[in-house]
Amino acid sequence: MAKEQLKVLNALDVAKTQMYHFTAIVIAGMGFFTDSYDLFCISLVTKLLGRIYYYDGGNNPGSLPQNVSAAINGVAFCGTLAGQLFFGWLGDKMGRKRVYGMTLMLMVIASLASGLSFGNDPKAVVATLCFFRFWLGFGIGGDYPLSATIMSEYANKKTRGAFIAAVFAMQGFGILAGGAVGIIVSSVFKALYPSPAFQVNPTLSTVPQADYVWRIVLMFGAIPAALTYYWRMKMPETARYTALVAKNTQQAAADMAKVMQVEIETEPEKVQQLDQNQRQRGNDFGLFTKRFLCRHGLHLFATAITWFLLDIAYYSQNLFQKDVFSAIGWIPEAKTMSALEEVYKIARAQTLIALCSTVPGYWFTVAFIDRIGRFTIQLMGFFFMTVFMFALAIPYHHWTLNGNQIGFVVMYSLTFFFANFGPNATTFVVPAEIFPARLRSTCHGISAAAGKAGAMVGAFGFLYAQNSIGLRNVLLILGGANLLGMLFTLLVPESKGKSLEEISGEADEETNNTNRESALKAGLQV
């Protein structure tokens, strides 16, 4: 099948890896650093919120009511889902760059506001927190399709997978930073305001100054987002959007020549010819058309359903690590610690898991995705997540016995490793590659939104399921979700080593006289 390709796009596909590629990774990646920090830092402070605002004078520390805990943990995902759909669509309508700044500014404002509250009544604090975390999630949601699309459209085809995965890998550093900030802030406050364990003195175990701790942890997320804003606004629009959607090759060539060491010809006549050919062939189809359904419908279903199934397990594990570790005795009982000590122990556990399994998993994907392919990594990741989840669940009683907790933590860590050296990275990469430029951001947003629907199932469902059917059965269900993810991965196409136009079908020629036209155009292409 012959392919038409503009010289500006061919130049991007064959460009050598250079400094601007790494700059783009950092600029786009800092958004993901902030995203994961903001989404997961809440798990560090939910128990502290319970102690501060919901202690009823009993023999156990205060804890969040089940519905309040579910709302605080899950409301950001509701916002994220809405933001992925809205900003994904807007990124295709207005351009990647223009929308990119909006999402970041929304994240800065909402991060700061999350640490504030209207009054000190529990209902007022929770309502304020949930309101601003929804809008924080809305901004985070926009970052998913835009970061992935921008990186895929800047990258060359040889290392495109690694570049997109590297942007997503910054999520691991965000989780790590959340744990580190939790450790530092709780340690500082512990040193300044010593307090006894709850069982020694219930009232004094939660010092009034602990109310500042959760606010500082949540508000810290505004700093990396604010620092990145200037550089995001300096990035030019992607050449693929400018050339293929805005139909301005002159601007596309000028933009790329500024930031990359390439000489590019402008081809306005060829853009018009390509546009006319696309219309004649019916390749200018929209999202809600039979042509899209025939060509990309199965692909969109595959990317959406695998992301959905992954996030059920992944976000359940991340948000409720503290509950899992408490259940097996790795974190001491709440009553044996002060409020600040508990924050410290939870943050330390999260940091250890991130350091030993989450972060390495991301970078294994970066290293191997362009060697062994997206499909293989995703299938392998789901397979091992299934194996380790069932290995934890089936002999669950064995892991709860004294002396066996370390084994449980190691196995649990391996599920994180293979989530990140697996579907957590590839479900982000593939939708940024396989859809046409005019629909790429929208389709990535839809796939990502399906993932956040899974995260909401994990965030809300895990809490209720753990209390009703027990942790063992929850782990069995999560293992089943991973198994289904492995099966649906069989529908996901491989995109390694191909240009974006080749993968999406935008470079398709008419079927008539294919061989003759192929030979002719092979001599004309750069």
Side-chain angles (χ1 to χ4, degrees):
M1 187 175 286
K3 301 185 258 321
E4 296 172 323
Q5 191 177 36
L6 295 167
K7 290 180 180 178
V8 64
L9 306 186
N10 185 65
L12 287 172
D13 278 341
V14 301
K16 292 181 180 179
T17 300
Q18 49 198 266
M19 182 54 67
Y20 190 73
H21 287 124
F22 296 106
T23 304
I25 288 171
V26 173
I27 294 169
M30 284 307 292
F32 263 88
F33 176 95
T34 307
D35 295 348
S36 61
Y37 180 94
D38 288 333
L39 286 176
F40 296 120
C41 69
I42 194 67
S43 65
L44 300 172
V45 298
T46 47
K47 291 204 172 191
L48 178 61
L49 288 167
R51 286 191 185 236
I52 295 171
Y53 295 107
Y54 287 90
Y55 177 55
D56 59 6
N59 295 325
N60 290 305
S63 60
L64 295 176
Q66 199 171 61
N67 60 330
V68 173
S69 180
I72 289 174
N73 279 298
V75 70
F77 297 135
C78 300
T80 304
L81 187 153
Q84 286 163 336
L85 293 173
F86 176 73
F87 286 115
W89 167 79
L90 203 61
D92 284 331
K93 294 298 178 187
M94 293 178 58
R96 296 29 166 152
K97 177 189 173 180
R98 290 175 67 185
V99 181
Y100 214 23
M102 298 180 200
T103 64
L104 203 63
M105 192 48 60
L106 185 56
M107 286 159 57
V108 171
I109 295 168
S111 286
L112 292 173
S114 294
L116 306 174
S117 61
F118 303 142
N120 55 11
D121 175 73
K123 287 184 179 179
V125 171
V126 170
T128 306
L129 179 59
C130 288
F131 176 81
F132 287 117
R133 280 191 65 78
F134 174 86
W135 290 107
L136 175 63
F138 193 69
I140 289 171
D143 222 45
Y144 274 73
L146 293 168
S147 290
T149 301
I150 284 171
M151 201 64 242
S152 73
E153 293 181 348
Y154 271 128
N156 60 49
K157 63 183 179 182
K158 183 179 179 182
T159 58
R160 185 180 60 242
F163 287 167
I164 305 172
V167 169
F168 195 62
M170 296 297 283
Q171 193 178 68
F173 290 124
I175 296 171
L176 192 63
V181 170
I183 289 172
I184 293 167
V185 174
S186 60
S187 296
V188 169
F189 274 77
K190 271 201 311 173
L192 294 175
Y193 309 103
S195 55
F198 178 86
Q199 60 189 9
V200 175
N201 191 316
T203 304
L204 295 180
S205 69
T206 306
V207 295
Q209 291 80 6
D211 192 51
Y212 294 114
V213 171
W214 70 268
R215 299 176 190 274
I216 292 169
V217 170
L218 296 186
M219 294 171 81
F220 183 85
I223 296 174
L227 292 175
T228 313
Y229 182 79
Y230 171 78
W231 296 108
R232 280 204 178 179
M233 292 300 92
K234 293 281 285 183
M235 291 178 78
E237 182 57 84
T238 70
R240 283 184 159 89
Y241 182 87
T242 306
L244 296 175
V245 183
K247 313 297 184 190
N248 188 341
T249 53
Q250 189 169 2
Q251 186 64 49
D255 287 343
M256 290 304 98
K258 285 179 188 175
V259 296
M260 300 178 72
Q261 299 165 10
V262 288
E263 292 290 333
I264 303 170
E265 283 185 52
T266 62
E267 303 168 284
E269 301 85 2
K270 193 167 184 179
V271 171
Q272 293 175 2
Q273 181 189 344
L274 279 171
D275 192 36
Q276 186 178 359
N277 288 345
Q278 292 278 15
R279 292 178 187 278
Q280 288 173 352
R281 296 176 216 146
N283 284 349
D284 58 340
F285 50 82
L287 182 66
F288 300 106
T289 60
K290 187 176 180 181
R291 193 68 182 259
F292 177 86
L293 187 64
C294 292
R295 181 170 287 188
H296 296 293
L298 191 62
H299 294 161
L300 184 57
F301 171 76
T303 56
I305 192 67
T306 50
W307 206 335
F308 172 80
L309 292 165
L310 163 77
D311 276 6
I312 291 175
Y314 185 74
Y315 280 87
S316 295
Q317 289 173 258
N318 261 302
L319 286 173
F320 300 104
Q321 282 183 52
K322 61 188 185 302
D323 302 308
V324 173
F325 294 148
S326 296
I328 63 157
W330 200 43
I331 293 177
E333 280 190 68
K335 63 172 63 178
T336 65
M337 299 179 283
S338 68
L340 294 175
E341 180 71 16
E342 187 173 38
V343 173
Y344 174 81
K345 291 281 177 66
I346 292 168
R348 189 179 65 178
Q350 179 171 306
T351 304
L352 188 61
I353 291 291
L355 197 59
C356 297
S357 59
T358 305
V359 172
Y362 282 114
W363 291 99
F364 265 69
T365 299
V366 173
F368 291 104
I369 193 168
D370 287 312
R371 298 183 188 182
I372 63 179
R374 290 76 162 142
F375 176 83
T376 303
I377 289 177
Q378 184 162 314
L379 196 67
M380 174 197 69
F382 268 128
F383 172 77
F384 282 111
M385 287 174 72
T386 305
V387 168
F388 289 119
M389 202 65 79
F390 284 143
L392 291 173
I394 295 170
Y396 178 73
H397 177 69
H398 166 78
W399 300 116
T400 61
L401 300 176
N402 282 336
N404 296 336
Q405 287 92 342
I406 297 300
F408 182 98
V409 171
V410 170
M411 300 277 277
Y412 193 65
S413 298
L414 286 170
T415 65
F416 280 102
F417 177 81
F418 283 106
N420 296 311
F421 183 32
N424 194 40
T426 54
T427 52
F428 177 80
V429 173
V430 174
E433 298 180 308
I434 65 175
F435 299 107
R438 66 186 177 280
L439 299 171
R440 185 170 292 136
S441 179
T442 302
C443 290
H444 194 286
I446 292 170
S447 301
K452 281 303 161 286
M456 288 161 62
V457 171
F460 293 112
F462 185 98
L463 201 63
Y464 292 102
Q466 185 187 3
N467 291 329
S468 58
I469 63 175
L471 186 57
R472 178 180 184 271
N473 290 323
V474 171
L475 292 173
L476 284 170
I477 292 170
L478 297 183
N482 293 329
L483 181 60
L484 285 174
M486 185 170 66
L487 296 176
F488 280 112
T489 294
L490 300 175
L491 302 176
V492 177
E494 179 57 74
S495 50
K496 180 183 74 164
K498 301 175 183 176
S499 76
L500 294 178
E501 290 68 45
E502 185 181 356
I503 302 162
S504 66
E506 288 170 288
D508 287 357
E509 263 292 310
E510 297 150 308
T511 54
N512 293 334
N513 303 317
T514 297
N515 293 334
R516 182 178 61 81
E517 291 183 14
S518 294
L520 177 63
K521 290 192 178 295
L524 295 175
Q525 275 188 342
V526 175

